[in-house]
Amino acid sequence: MKYVFITGGVVSSLGKGITAASLGRLLKARGYRVGLQKLDLYYNVEPGFLSPLEHGEAFITDDGTAADLDLGHYERFVDITLTGEASSTTGKIHRKLIENELRGEYHGSTIQAIPHVANEIKRCIREAALHADTEIHIVEIGGTVGDMEAAVYLEAIRQMRWECEQPDDCCYIHVTLMPYIVTAGELKTKPTQNSVKALRSVGIQPDVIVCRTEVPMTTDAKDKIALFCNVKVGNVIQNIDVTCLYEVPLMLEKEGLARCVLAELGLDNRPAELTEWRGMVRAIREQAKQVDVALVGKYVTVPDAYLSMNEALLHAGYAEDVRVNVTPINSEELMPETADTLLAGYRAIVVPGGYGDRGTIGMVVAARYAREHGVPFLAIGFGMQLAVVEAVRNLLGIADANTTEVDPQAKNAVVRIPEDRVCQNDSRSATRMGGGDVRLSEGMLQSVYGAQTIRERHSNRYEVDQRYVGPLMEKGYRMVGTSMETGYPEAFELDGHPFYTVVVYHPEYRSRPTRPHPLFRAFIRAAKG
């Protein structure tokens, strides 16, 4: 087993996740079996409970884990399906230690950062790699070198090199910032030097340094970093800003990142098969037509809150040869009197998932506007449930229809927590999580998938009350998907509408840049007309 550890320095948000995902893509293109893992420093046990306004979206894995959004990058770039083991946090690590202690596994020993916490981190890494059956396991360490929370993680990965069979079973990549001072017209290497110095102070000598920069690095800058950071000149990699994320693997391939890593691991640098990826990037650059899509949500102030949704829409645009321009619209600002102003001019409307009562009026307004104006419409998760509420209110004339997530005392509860989940607290154990089979009945959705049974990922605690399905069908609002496990409604379509599909599952998590999800592709095809 070979391990690649990726750390960050100078500042956060340098794109360690994209670097890890890109390296995974390049190694897979050479025929290696690749696994990826993210270790986050925060003490939260469940990333799914983090506010999207603080940490962006929680990516849902097929086995039902709400994970850090970087797992979405890993799955999209490398085109693999990860499990919950690919995401861990300090909270999970410490919970495991406490459970072990309560079971008496430490036999009264004093539990300490070294060796106990470090050993648990190493166990977490090794088990994830073993279960994924990988040849090369890429591990991204969250945060920045120098953070107090990162110390024990750095110690754990330092130890792993000397616990592996051979020293070249581990490779350390350090991602740093190379700032450009406009007034001086110079790239500055000192932040990178200091960051590497901090890393070396805990016993880790980076093998490869990846420098994020706005402008091309000079030969002198690379030579200087190599000299003062004790790495080979060829192992100083430029990671310059690009206009499209999916250009990064090709840029890093040109820089020789995979070649450097494989050399450090003692593996063959096989020819890379990147024909399909190059073709996709070329098609992105050549897109001439544009489709404007309104995304109506409550977390639009944080771009990463709907990361997978945005990427899925872009993927569909790549396949349909149009540039998808997604405009976020704050659902708190969308009211019946502002709908014409805020939504006019868009070729399609999408309402994504969420939770809580804030901003729900705007989502309901968007659903009604799209239904009455014939605008292609796609609603997902919480958005689907609110779209059904809108239909019950305005098609069935039940004005006080609602979801109990918004109004716990709703007299006509169209969406509610099923009785078998009522007594459970607000935890993931009370939520339908991960992949589940859906049976599709005859309709547009079945033709889009080309199948009667599909598997999609879920993240919902509330369900649509089946008592409303019959009356809605009489109005042309047809249920076309049901859960094969629970029988609850999964999807609805509206007869006579150019494109109106609402689904409780989350197809965005399964979309890939080279394999767009069929539902999003059909949505964008309808939008472009």
Side-chain angles (χ1 to χ4, degrees):
M1 178 67 67
K2 302 287 187 177
Y3 296 96
V4 178
F5 297 106
I6 300 180
T7 57
V10 185
V11 295
S12 59
S13 301
L14 288 179
K16 296 192 304 296
I18 297 297
T19 301
S22 297
L23 176 60
R25 175 79 258 173
L26 298 178
L27 294 176
K28 183 179 180 181
R30 286 167 165 78
Y32 289 102
R33 298 194 311 277
V34 180
L36 293 102
Q37 186 176 18
K38 174 71 180 292
L39 302 181
D40 280 298
L41 308 187
Y42 47 75
Y43 276 79
N44 303 74
V45 174
E46 179 57 74
F49 289 156
L50 289 168
S51 169
L53 295 174
E54 188 169 338
H55 273 271
E57 74 171 11
F59 184 82
I60 308 300
T61 61
D62 190 73
D63 67 350
T65 298
D68 184 82
L69 60 81
D70 274 325
L71 266 69
H73 290 313
Y74 303 161
E75 287 206 0
R76 287 187 287 270
F77 275 65
V78 190
D79 196 7
I80 56 177
T81 298
L82 298 170
T83 67
E85 285 187 312
S87 174
S88 192
T89 69
T90 300
K92 289 182 179 180
I93 297 292
H94 283 220
R95 181 176 68 176
K96 181 66 174 177
L97 288 170
I98 293 170
E99 291 172 348
N100 291 345
E101 193 268 339
L102 293 175
R103 285 195 298 266
E105 294 186 12
Y106 299 121
H107 306 291
S109 298
T110 301
I111 303 172
Q112 298 176 296
I114 310 299
H116 300 95
V117 179
N119 285 346
E120 182 60 28
I121 292 170
K122 290 183 291 184
R123 184 202 62 79
C124 177
I125 293 171
R126 291 188 178 115
E127 286 195 359
L130 178 65
H131 296 161
D133 188 29
T134 63
E135 295 174 283
I136 304 174
H137 193 61
I138 302 171
V139 182
E140 177 193 350
I141 307 297
T144 305
V145 170
D147 292 345
M148 288 188 294
E149 301 94 331
V152 69
Y153 286 91
L154 298 179
E155 173 60 19
I157 65 174
R158 182 197 69 80
Q159 293 177 13
M160 284 196 67
R161 165 162 274 175
W162 309 114
E163 293 177 2
C164 289
E165 293 182 7
Q166 299 293 333
D168 66 0
D169 284 345
C170 290
C171 174
Y172 299 104
I173 299 177
H174 193 49
V175 181
T176 72
L177 177 67
M178 182 82 99
Y180 177 71
I181 308 302
V182 177
T183 53
E186 291 180 350
L187 283 167
K188 291 299 182 181
T189 64
K190 187 63 69 177
T192 295
Q193 293 179 48
N194 288 336
S195 182
V196 171
K197 182 179 179 180
L199 191 59
R200 293 174 70 184
S201 73
V202 298
I204 296 176
Q205 166 63 53
D207 301 299
V208 180
I209 298 176
V210 177
C211 301
R212 278 297 306 274
T213 175
E214 300 176 66
V215 298
M217 291 177 64
T218 62
T219 301
D220 287 344
K222 287 191 174 185
D223 290 342
K224 193 172 183 180
I225 289 175
L227 176 64
F228 287 103
C229 296
N230 200 31
V231 297
K232 302 167 188 173
V233 174
N235 286 14
V236 179
I237 305 295
Q238 169 185 278
N239 187 356
I240 197 168
D241 295 348
V242 294
T243 56
C244 173
L245 282 181
Y246 300 113
E247 295 180 42
V248 176
L250 300 181
M251 181 261 294
L252 293 179
E253 172 70 3
K254 185 177 180 180
E255 282 287 306
L257 176 61
R259 170 184 53 78
C260 296
V261 170
L262 290 170
E264 294 296 332
L265 294 173
L267 297 174
D268 293 334
N269 181 26
R270 305 167 182 167
E273 176 49 62
L274 292 166
T275 304
E276 184 181 31
W277 198 271
R278 294 183 194 279
M280 175 196 68
V281 172
R282 189 182 309 113
I284 295 171
R285 291 171 178 166
E286 294 174 355
Q287 288 173 339
K289 298 179 181 179
Q290 177 173 300
V291 168
D292 294 320
V293 177
L295 186 152
V296 180
K298 57 168 67 178
Y299 312 121
V300 294
T301 55
V302 179
D304 283 350
Y306 300 115
L307 180 60
S308 293
M309 177 71 72
N310 281 310
E311 291 303 307
L313 291 167
L314 296 179
H315 300 165
Y318 303 159
E320 292 299 320
D321 195 27
V322 292
R323 186 180 302 277
V324 179
N325 179 36
V326 182
T327 301
I329 294 178
N330 193 333
S331 60
E332 291 188 275
E333 299 174 359
L334 184 58
M335 298 293 169
E337 59 272 17
T338 62
D340 287 332
T341 302
L342 294 177
L343 297 177
Y346 291 102
R347 300 294 299 272
I349 298 171
V350 59
V351 177
Y355 55 87
D357 61 351
R358 183 177 60 83
T360 54
I361 293 176
M363 297 181 187
V364 171
V365 168
R368 181 173 186 175
Y369 182 93
R371 180 177 59 80
E372 294 181 344
H373 289 77
V375 179
F377 181 68
L378 175 63
I380 290 172
F382 189 41
M384 171 268 204
Q385 294 173 344
L386 292 173
V388 175
V389 167
E390 185 278 322
V392 172
R393 287 178 182 176
N394 297 299
L395 292 179
L396 301 185
I398 305 175
D400 62 348
N402 214 331
T403 165
T404 55
E405 186 167 1
V406 175
D407 179 8
Q409 307 302 321
K411 182 179 178 180
N412 290 288
V414 179
V415 181
R416 57 182 176 80
I417 301 176
E419 292 183 4
D420 59 334
R421 303 178 199 168
V422 168
C423 295
Q424 300 185 48
N425 62 13
D426 190 13
S427 67
R428 289 294 167 186
S429 61
T431 302
R432 190 151 58 109
M433 294 287 291
D437 292 333
V438 178
R439 180 180 290 108
L440 301 179
S441 55
E442 186 176 349
M444 186 276 295
L445 200 60
Q446 187 184 101
S447 64
V448 164
Y449 280 94
Q452 295 181 348
T453 302
I454 60 173
R455 182 176 178 83
E456 291 286 0
R457 301 183 192 182
H458 300 74
S459 178
N460 63 290
R461 189 182 186 195
Y462 294 75
E463 305 285 358
V464 173
D465 192 324
Q466 294 167 302
R467 291 179 298 176
Y468 295 91
V469 170
L472 283 172
M473 291 187 71
E474 293 177 3
K475 298 292 184 179
Y477 200 95
R478 297 187 302 112
M479 181 179 70
V480 293
T482 55
S483 168
M484 295 182 65
E485 178 184 0
T486 65
Y488 290 119
E490 292 267 359
F492 289 86
E493 294 176 3
L494 180 62
D495 291 340
H497 194 282
F499 188 101
Y500 184 105
T501 299
V502 298
V503 296
V504 78
Y505 54 80
H506 290 267
E508 68 269 27
Y509 298 131
R510 294 183 57 244
S511 185
R512 306 286 187 264
T514 54
R515 288 191 299 110
H517 194 284
L519 179 54
F520 283 96
R521 186 167 181 178
F523 177 58
I524 294 302
R525 188 183 304 125
K528 74 176 186 178

